[in-house]
Every structure is written in C-alpha cells, then in structure tokens.
Amino acid sequence: MLNRSQLSDLSIFLLIVQHRSFRKAADHLDVTVSALSHRMKSLEERLGVRLLNRTSRSVAPTAAGEALAEKIAAGLDLINSGLEELQAQSEGVVGSVRVNVLRDAVPLLLSPALPIFAQRYPNIELEIAVDDHFVDVTGEGFDAGLRYSGTIPEDMIAMPLTSPLQWIAVGSPDYFARHGRPVVPEDLNRHRCIRIRTGRGQIYHWEFERGEDRRQIEVPGSIISGATDLAVGAAINGAGLAYCLERLVRPHLQAGRLEIALPEWSSVGPPLSIYYSSRRQLPFGISALIQTIRESERLA
C-alpha cells in the first residue's frame, strides 16, 4: 500500500509530465527545482525504472513514464470526482461550465454521456458550443475544449477520451453499382468524392494506410462539406464517396446503407481529447464530465 509520501511523489511526477518542465512544476508548487529533481530521482530508484528523460532545456516522459502518468491521471480523476461529488451532494452545489466541442464529438462522446451526466449532476449547468473552427477556449470564456489531440495547443493540458480513431472511405451499394469500386486509393481520382473543408478552412486530403504503405490523395468532387453528418447523408443517398470516422458510420455499415470503399485501406488518427488551460484550476463540472464520458466509453 502506498504511503502519503509516495502518493505525493506520484502527483508531483504527473505535474512535471503535464507541464513538460521541472521549472513550471516547481513554480506551481512553490518549491525549488532541485527539490523536485531529488524526489523524482528517488521515485525512479524506488520503482527501478527511468520515468523521465532530462536535458538541460527540456524534460519528457519515457514510454514507461507516459504509461504511468496516464494511469495516475485516471486514478486522480476518479478520486477527485468522487470527493467532489460527495461535497456537491452535501452542499447542494450549483455550478456552471462551458465547453467548446467539435461536431464529430457530439454523437461519439456527448450524446451517450449527457443523459448520465444530467441525472448524476442536476445542479450543474453545462453549456456546450459546437464549433469545428479553431477557438481560443480560454480567450472565449470556455472552461475546456474537445478536439483531436494533434490540433490542441501545446500550452494546454490535454486528456484523451478515446483510443486512436480509424478513418475510412464509404459509399452506398447503389453508388458502387453505378460507378464501380476503387481498388487502390489512386482510383478515387476517377470517382465522385464528397470533399472535406476543415475548421481551419483547408480542403482535407484523404489519408490511407496498409501496413507500412501510406498514401495521401487530393480527391476530386463537386460537393464540399464541413459537416460530417451532411457528407454521410449524401453518401447514403448515392451522391458520392465520403471520408469519415469508422465509429460514426458503424450503424450504417451494419445496416447495409453504406459499404467501405477500400476495405484494405484506412487511416488511424489521433484520439479525441478534452483540454483546458494549465493556468486554471479544473472546475468540478469539467472533471465530472470527463469521468462521465470515460464511463460511457467503457460501456460502448
């Protein structure tokens, strides 16, 4: 069983990983850098494994350190959520939090989790803004944002809520009957594709992988959409091929409304993560939302 000092060391280790800096963690705790360095060396010696790679200018977790940090973060979230929930219930807390989320995150994460959240935390007002454009969540007054990990600013603390996500090209059986099927990604140049405009205003090039073979295709198409639900609906109705998350269209694939255009080709992208400013204390409502989404993901 861990004692109080060991738990404290693990919390300090997590803070260093989140800040990627001994200096920032030391400033946060109001202690010296040398004191933190000594405690981390003692922790590594006690565990018998290197947790941090240090240079004169940076610090980053090793693979073992990254895995440990994720488990510590999840454990602390669970503990904090439980303690704060008890406090909220005893005090009748009424809170308000605002979150800015990608459109794709709504059906994937929020729709399944919100009924649980509303029942469990009736005194928390949760405002959700759905916006695919890049938003300065802190500057715009949001408590947190929800985006793909690769697009989150480095000065934010990000917590993955999903595993890495698979992207595929899909079309309707009717479309394939009329236009045939692509065999390799380059064949998409002869098909009608529903192109994607990202929240940053760029036309997205479709990405595919098969083993070590990676390809990026600038597909043709007269329909351009910034909304996945519109693109998927158009694909179901035979307007062309759409590129989207496999999880979003799984029900349509199972029902036969859509089929995978290139079964041997897909792309694995970063997970969806919730993120918030490292300079702010995480509000209870956001902590509660994170825990609820994670519970919902485990049940999915």
Side-chain angles (χ1 to χ4, degrees):
M1 181 178 296
L2 294 173
N3 58 38
R4 182 176 299 178
S5 176
Q6 291 169 330
L7 285 172
S8 176
D9 286 347
L10 292 175
S11 297
I12 292 171
F13 163 69
L14 178 62
L15 190 64
I16 293 169
V17 171
Q18 290 174 335
H19 284 290
R20 292 296 198 273
S21 166
F22 273 95
R23 169 61 61 189
K24 291 180 180 178
D27 291 344
H28 181 86
L29 297 170
D30 196 23
V31 298
T32 65
V33 172
S34 61
L36 290 194
S37 180
H38 176 73
R39 293 189 68 168
M40 289 304 97
K41 287 179 181 177
S42 297
L43 176 63
E44 290 176 327
E45 290 173 359
R46 194 161 59 244
L47 296 177
V49 63
R50 177 180 288 276
L51 300 174
L52 297 167
N53 288 321
R54 307 167 178 83
T55 69
S56 60
R57 303 180 66 179
S58 66
V59 59
T62 62
E66 188 74 41
L68 178 61
E70 290 180 4
K71 290 182 173 61
I72 295 171
L76 290 177
D77 281 344
L78 183 60
I79 293 169
N80 288 331
S81 178
L83 292 174
E84 291 173 343
E85 183 178 348
L86 286 174
Q87 183 180 11
Q89 291 173 349
S90 64
E91 298 178 358
V93 170
V94 177
S96 176
V97 290
R98 302 179 70 227
V99 186
N100 188 285
V101 306
L102 281 177
R103 187 182 302 272
D104 285 353
V106 174
L108 279 183
L109 299 178
L110 293 178
S111 293
L114 286 181
I116 303 171
F117 184 91
Q119 182 177 16
R120 186 177 296 173
Y121 307 104
N123 293 328
I124 297 177
E125 180 181 84
L126 174 62
E127 180 179 346
I128 299 169
V130 181
D131 191 347
D132 285 342
H133 295 90
F134 176 79
V135 175
D136 178 357
V137 291
T138 303
E140 295 294 329
F142 293 98
D143 296 289
L146 214 169
R147 293 288 187 276
Y148 295 113
S149 289
T151 64
I152 296 172
E154 292 183 359
D155 61 343
M156 293 286 182
I157 294 176
M159 303 178 66
L161 297 179
T162 69
S163 57
L165 297 165
Q166 183 184 28
W167 292 79
I168 57 174
V170 296
S172 69
D174 176 66
Y175 175 89
F176 291 126
R178 289 184 289 114
H179 300 284
R181 290 178 175 273
V183 177
V184 295
E186 286 75 14
D187 292 343
L188 294 171
N189 289 312
R190 297 190 293 274
H191 281 265
R192 300 176 182 179
C193 298
I194 302 165
R195 293 189 286 166
I196 303 168
R197 188 176 295 280
T198 70
R200 296 180 181 272
Q202 303 161 329
I203 298 295
Y204 189 77
H205 295 176
W206 296 10
E207 298 177 346
F208 297 94
E209 301 174 8
R210 187 176 64 177
E212 296 300 316
D213 191 352
R214 292 174 173 80
R215 306 185 189 184
Q216 190 176 84
I217 309 299
E218 185 177 358
V219 296
S222 59
I223 299 175
I224 301 172
S225 173
T228 300
D229 51 357
L230 188 155
V232 170
I236 290 173
N237 290 317
L241 303 179
Y243 186 78
C244 55
L245 291 172
E246 186 274 338
R247 277 186 57 178
L248 280 178
V249 294
R250 193 175 295 168
H252 300 303
L253 294 171
Q254 293 171 343
R257 291 185 289 269
L258 288 173
E259 298 175 357
I260 299 176
L262 293 158
E264 296 182 0
W265 295 85
S266 63
S267 178
V268 177
L272 281 164
S273 295
I274 196 163
Y275 65 100
Y276 51 91
S277 173
S278 59
R279 296 180 294 275
R280 286 186 178 181
Q281 182 177 0
L282 185 64
F284 170 60
I286 299 299
S287 178
L289 179 63
I290 291 170
Q291 183 60 32
T292 305
I293 290 175
R294 284 180 165 167
E295 289 179 15
S296 178
E297 276 287 280
R298 286 195 293 269
L299 295 174

